[in-house]
Amino acid sequence: VIGMKSSYITTPMNYIGGKSKLLPQILPLFPKKIDTFVDIFCGGCNVGINASAETIILNDNLTYLIELYECFLRTDKEEVLRYIENRIAEFDLSKTNSDGYLALRKAYNTNRKALDLFVLIAYSFNHQIRFNTAHEYNNPFGKERSSYNEKMKSNLISFLDTLSEKNIIFSNCDFRTFDYSILTEKDFLYVDPPYLITT
C-alpha cells in the first residue's frame, strides 16, 4: 500500500499476545489525527510505541512492568545499556550459567531494582515475564536458548530512542479504575484485553 509505513519499532519485550506481526494490519485502522492515544492493556507496548498521537498513555496493571518502563523513560540511554552490561558481568550471565541467573532473580525479588527485571527477562525461558502470587519473578532459566543478544540490544536502543522522541506517559492501574472522563472525541482508546486461561 502506497504511503504505508514499512518498518515499525519492535520492543525488546517478548510479551505473550504481542501484536508486532499484526501492526501493518492494526495501525492503518486508527484515526489519522489523534490527540491522546490510550493503550489500556499495553503489555509489551508494540502497538502504543508505534502509535501516532500528540500524547500516548500506556497503561498496564502489572506494577513491575510499568516500573521498568518508567525507569527506561527517566534514565539516560547510555546509562541503561551500561547497567545491563555491568549486571551481566557481575552475575556472569550466559546461556549456561543457571546459578548466576538464579542469584540475580533472588536479588531482584529482594531489592526490586527495575532494570534487573529486564536483565532477567533476557536470560529467562523464552524471554517471558512471569510472577507468582507472592509477586516474585519466577520464570525459569532459559538454558541454552536465552541471552542478551544483539537483536535484543538493537530493539532496546530503538525503544529507548522512541521513548525520548514521543510524549509518552506510563500508567499503572486496573482498566476498571482508569479515568476515562479525561478522553474527548479527539482521543483514541485502544483496548486489546489479555488472553484468558480457558479449560
Side-chain angles (χ1 to χ4, degrees), residues 4-199:
M4 181 180 292
K5 188 176 180 181
S6 59
S7 62
Y8 302 97
I9 300 300
T10 301
T11 81
M13 315 296 285
N14 180 30
Y15 215 85
I16 294 175
K19 298 297 184 291
S20 60
K21 294 181 180 178
L22 296 177
L23 290 175
Q25 296 169 263
I26 295 173
L27 296 181
L29 300 176
F30 294 166
K32 300 302 180 188
K33 182 171 175 50
I34 302 171
D35 282 359
T36 299
F37 177 93
V38 179
D39 187 346
I40 204 69
F41 301 105
C42 73
C45 295
N46 277 297
V47 175
I49 199 70
N50 286 286
S52 294
E54 292 184 18
T55 301
I56 298 171
I57 299 176
L58 302 177
N59 178 79
D60 202 280
N61 72 341
L62 183 54
T63 301
Y64 310 118
L65 179 66
I66 295 300
E67 286 177 350
L68 173 58
Y69 290 150
E70 288 180 330
C71 187
F72 282 160
L73 186 63
R74 68 175 181 265
T75 308
D76 178 75
K77 177 175 66 176
E78 295 305 322
E79 186 178 339
V80 170
L81 298 175
R82 186 165 52 250
Y83 184 93
I84 293 168
E85 297 288 354
N86 287 343
R87 290 305 251 181
I88 291 170
E90 181 180 352
F91 288 87
D92 193 25
L93 298 176
S94 69
K95 289 185 179 181
T96 57
N97 185 6
S98 61
D99 289 342
Y101 173 81
L102 294 175
L104 178 60
R105 192 174 73 176
K106 181 178 180 181
Y108 171 72
N109 286 329
T110 301
N111 302 316
R112 297 295 180 184
K113 292 183 178 179
L115 289 178
D116 282 350
L117 177 58
F118 181 77
V119 182
L120 280 173
I121 292 166
Y123 289 89
S124 69
F125 180 71
N126 283 348
H127 302 296
Q128 291 179 353
I129 303 168
R130 194 178 78 182
F131 289 84
N132 61 22
T133 54
H135 301 281
E136 297 171 327
Y137 184 82
N138 69 342
N139 206 43
F141 178 53
K143 184 178 180 180
E144 304 289 359
R145 298 181 63 179
S146 301
S147 67
Y148 179 63
N149 52 48
E150 286 303 313
K151 182 178 180 183
M152 180 177 276
K153 181 178 180 180
S154 176
N155 289 342
L156 174 60
I157 290 171
S158 296
F159 187 75
L160 295 174
D161 286 342
T162 305
L163 285 182
S164 67
E165 294 164 1
K166 294 186 175 184
N167 182 25
I168 294 178
I169 300 168
F170 288 104
S171 169
N172 174 218
C173 65
D174 187 286
F175 75 97
R176 290 164 292 194
T177 61
F178 186 86
D179 184 10
Y180 297 99
S181 68
I182 66 172
L183 302 180
T184 71
E185 67 276 1
K186 295 181 180 180
D187 301 329
F188 187 81
L189 176 65
Y190 175 71
V191 181
D192 181 13
Y195 298 126
L196 296 176
I197 297 175
T198 57
T199 57

